[in-house]
Amino acid sequence: MASGNGKLLRRCTTNGSPSACGHSWEPRHKMPKSTGESNQARSWNLSMLWFFTGAVIVFHLFAVFVVLPLYKDGGNRSNFPFPASSCSGNEQRTETSVLKEDEISVSSTSGSIPISMDSVINLDHGDPTMYEKFWRQTGNAAELVIPGSQTMSYFSDVANLCWFLEPEFAAEIRRLHRLVGNAVAVPDRYIIVGTGSSQLFQAALFALSTSPEVFGHGGGGRPLPVVSSVPYYSSYPAATDLLQSGLFRWAGDARSLKEGDKPYIEVVCSPSNPDGLLKTASVSSNSGKVIHDLAYYWPQYTAITSPADHDLMLFTASKCTGHAGMRLGWAIVKNREVAKRMVKFIEVSTIGVSKDSQLRAAKILKTVSDQYELEAAEDFTKLFHFARKTMRDRWQTLRLVIAASDAFSLPVFQPQYCNFMKENTLPFPAFAWLKCERDIDDCESFLRQKHKILTRGGKHFGADTKHVRISMLDRVETFDMFIERLSSIDL
Ligand SMILES: Cc1ncc(COP(=O)(O)O)c(C=O)c1O
């Protein structure tokens, strides 16, 4: 860089004048003094005219044939000249790109409480603000002060495979899983921390698609299909295809994947976002790798029937304790090589994960577990009891409203015994997967345009437009106003 700048500088100062660069052009703009000079100037002007005309034509051709089609298509990336090796079928890419375009849903009402009866009610995101009430009542138990001199180094635990994982946080993760019994997190399982489980999802795609087994299986030369059964979590397609990786490519519904010995990655989200059902892998082939997204496998949402013990499991603080803004998730991984590649991904993309957030998360998880170890603690001071009661009350209220109308329907769930709560329980999912009945074909538009209720339409989840996903995790004020508005819909 230094030598490049040096060259430029020298070229501009050869005349010894600070404006030497300007001087070399100046005579061409001066009036000619003699006829010879005048002819020379005329032919120069003509050349310039041809040059500019040519440039204008080239510019127009570029605008008409390259730029305009992109705009007309709403920036659909399928029209970009990707190298053939990074594309796996245009039809699929077009569908994915539409989803990606529509995925941008942050609006002026995101995260806010509706203030009047005709305000927009935004239940599009799964923003877990319902939990604020719980954490407000814990007083200073979950408070943390970090002195200016702390958490300054990049490194947390260099002896650990995941060198940026704070040991206190790792210990509290293992303790919480032991307490709840929802996952095997014994010492020989690798824990990897990520900036939200969103980052870990990408790290997992990278780790699984670069595994030597996959390459040896004929997966080396093309992007690996990534599938999930419909309705799938709406972020999977966008997160998979964002960087147009040559390693993996979103391929839609797991059930449409033709079984064979070709490698693939299946994402299993259980309980499922958006519909709350428990899921297992749809594709049963030895050449597949599975990512288990267990963001909602906590007792406030579903019965804990056994400790999950899959090869690669993802969890997030966002839906466990409600601290989405902390941006922390963790993966529990069996295979050392897969864990190493996930760590490599995070190392290269963000050189680790916020230590401040990890220390705060350790304190939050510790507060949760401590409360369960206190014999005399009241139920409302225990996170999972508080959250499950809130979810149960909300679902009961919602079901009453839905039962009174023939315009909508909800999935029907079966009770199961919860080992943690020690009783039979129905699922109380974080989202209501609402179906518009009768002649409402586009439920999302119907609720948005006619009733100012923002939801996420079924097509984002690979499903039909009669379905919408509605967050059940918002603040009480928002939820109550939603219920009131929904009950007033008269078809
Ligand atoms: C199923 C599922 N997985 C992952 C995430 C992302 O979680 P995080 O906030 O940790 O990135 C969400 C968030 O809504 C989710 O619903």
Side-chain angles (χ1 to χ4, degrees):
M1 248 167 82
S3 76
N5 286 343
K7 268 187 206 157
L8 271 179
L9 206 67
R10 268 198 301 280
R11 228 183 279 146
C12 293
T13 52
T14 41
N15 293 351
S17 150
S19 56
C21 285
H23 277 287
S24 65
W25 290 96
E26 241 178 308
R28 291 173 187 161
H29 301 294
K30 280 186 180 168
M31 286 296 288
K33 286 187 185 124
S34 66
T35 321
E37 271 179 286
S38 150
N39 284 342
Q40 213 180 327
R42 216 172 290 132
S43 79
W44 164 252
N45 285 344
L46 267 175
S47 318
M48 288 306 283
L49 188 70
W50 280 113
F51 173 77
F52 280 119
T53 312
V56 168
I57 292 171
V58 169
F59 175 78
H60 270 88
L61 287 174
F62 180 79
V64 169
F65 290 107
V66 179
V67 180
L68 252 182
L70 290 181
Y71 273 94
K72 272 191 195 158
D73 204 48
N76 188 333
R77 305 211 64 169
S78 63
N79 287 335
F80 279 102
F82 282 110
S85 66
S86 68
C87 298
S88 68
N90 271 342
E91 265 175 47
Q92 198 173 293
R93 174 174 309 290
T94 307
E95 182 200 320
T96 310
S97 305
V98 170
L99 289 171
K100 266 186 286 185
E101 289 298 313
D102 293 346
E103 192 57 31
I104 302 158
S105 52
V106 176
S107 75
S108 56
T109 53
S110 300
S112 64
I113 301 173
I115 43 171
S116 69
M117 290 313 288
D118 70 340
S119 293
V120 169
I121 301 173
N122 192 335
L123 295 170
D124 175 11
H125 319 282
D127 202 17
T129 43
M130 170 191 104
Y131 289 88
E132 286 169 356
K133 186 172 171 208
F134 176 83
W135 290 104
R136 230 177 275 126
Q137 80 192 7
T138 60
N140 59 6
E143 259 176 35
L144 178 71
V145 176
I146 303 177
S149 60
Q150 248 185 45
T151 64
M152 294 183 65
S153 164
Y154 284 116
F155 306 101
S156 292
D157 185 3
V158 288
N160 188 17
L161 181 137
C162 185
W163 57 266
F164 45 82
L165 171 63
E166 283 292 309
E168 282 167 74
F169 183 40
E172 291 300 336
I173 289 171
R174 294 192 202 271
R175 179 183 174 206
L176 189 67
H177 284 301
R178 231 178 9 252
L179 172 83
V180 175
N182 63 339
V184 175
V186 289
D188 74 341
R189 302 294 198 275
Y190 299 97
I191 291 186
I192 302 160
V193 60
T195 301
S197 80
S198 303
Q199 186 183 33
L200 289 162
F201 174 69
Q202 293 196 317
L205 290 181
F206 171 76
L208 296 178
S209 63
T210 50
S211 111
E213 285 166 59
V214 165
F215 274 79
H217 224 279
R222 63 186 172 79
L224 226 60
V226 178
V227 294
S228 188
S229 61
V230 166
Y232 44 70
Y233 172 39
S234 53
S235 285
Y236 294 150
T240 305
D241 278 356
L242 183 68
L243 296 181
Q244 301 292 328
S245 168
L247 293 171
F248 44 80
R249 188 56 42 90
W250 179 250
D253 190 5
R255 295 179 199 106
S256 67
L257 194 75
K258 291 186 189 65
E259 298 222 10
D261 61 351
K262 295 269 193 272
Y264 64 90
I265 297 172
E266 178 172 358
V267 198
V268 175
C269 180
S270 183
S272 157
N273 172 356
D275 63 9
L277 295 174
L278 295 175
K279 282 186 176 178
T280 51
S282 304
V283 196
S284 54
S285 155
N286 289 335
S287 48
K289 300 277 174 201
V290 184
I291 298 171
H292 279 90
D293 184 345
L294 304 186
Y296 302 97
Y297 192 43
W298 294 102
Q300 62 269 50
Y301 306 117
T302 192
I304 303 301
T305 51
S306 63
D309 193 18
H310 306 289
D311 289 349
L312 199 166
M313 304 184 279
L314 303 182
F315 290 94
T316 167
S318 308
K319 306 304 157 87
C320 169
T321 67
H323 290 84
M326 207 157 59
R327 303 308 305 126
L328 276 194
W330 61 93
I332 304 176
V333 180
K334 279 187 190 170
N335 182 291
R336 183 178 170 83
E337 295 309 310
V338 171
K340 261 164 87 175
R341 285 195 297 276
M342 287 181 71
V343 166
K344 177 55 78 184
F345 178 92
I346 294 169
E347 193 179 302
V348 172
S349 50
T350 45
I351 326 181
V353 174
S354 163
K355 289 167 89 168
D356 295 8
S357 279
Q358 291 188 60
L359 293 187
R360 179 163 181 232
K363 183 84 185 194
I364 298 277
L365 297 195
K366 181 176 183 312
T367 310
V368 173
S369 296
D370 284 353
Q371 276 310 103
Y372 278 96
E373 282 168 11
L374 284 178
E375 282 294 313
E378 303 246 24
D379 277 2
F380 72 90
T381 68
K382 297 174 177 169
L383 176 84
F384 301 116
H385 284 71
F386 161 90
R388 199 174 81 115
K389 182 180 179 321
T390 311
M391 295 303 290
R392 188 181 51 211
D393 293 350
R394 288 184 177 194
W395 270 94
Q396 277 171 359
T397 312
L398 179 64
R399 284 203 186 275
L400 280 177
V401 173
I402 299 298
S405 147
D406 61 354
F408 307 107
S409 63
L410 285 168
V412 178
F413 302 117
Q414 296 307 317
Q416 276 187 302
Y417 186 76
C418 175
N419 293 333
F420 180 73
M421 293 290 180
K422 306 258 179 294
E423 63 183 26
N424 269 322
T425 177
L426 277 166
F428 304 120
F431 298 99
W433 186 233
L434 187 83
K435 186 177 180 196
C436 277
E437 300 290 350
R438 309 219 317 226
D439 58 350
I440 309 165
D441 289 327
D442 186 343
C443 196
E444 187 271 330
S445 304
F446 169 76
L447 291 172
R448 177 169 45 83
Q449 289 167 0
K450 297 227 164 81
H451 303 285
K452 292 196 186 170
I453 301 171
L454 304 190
T455 63
R456 195 167 293 186
K459 71 182 164 94
H460 294 271
F461 307 90
D464 59 71
T465 54
K466 283 186 86 71
H467 279 93
V468 290
R469 188 197 75 172
I470 299 174
S471 172
M472 296 289 281
L473 298 181
D474 222 291
R475 297 178 181 97
V476 64
E477 297 88 337
T478 311
F479 182 78
D480 288 351
M481 206 176 273
F482 161 64
I483 289 295
E484 210 171 313
R485 204 168 294 175
L486 198 67
S487 351
S488 70
I489 296 177
D490 190 16
L491 290 178

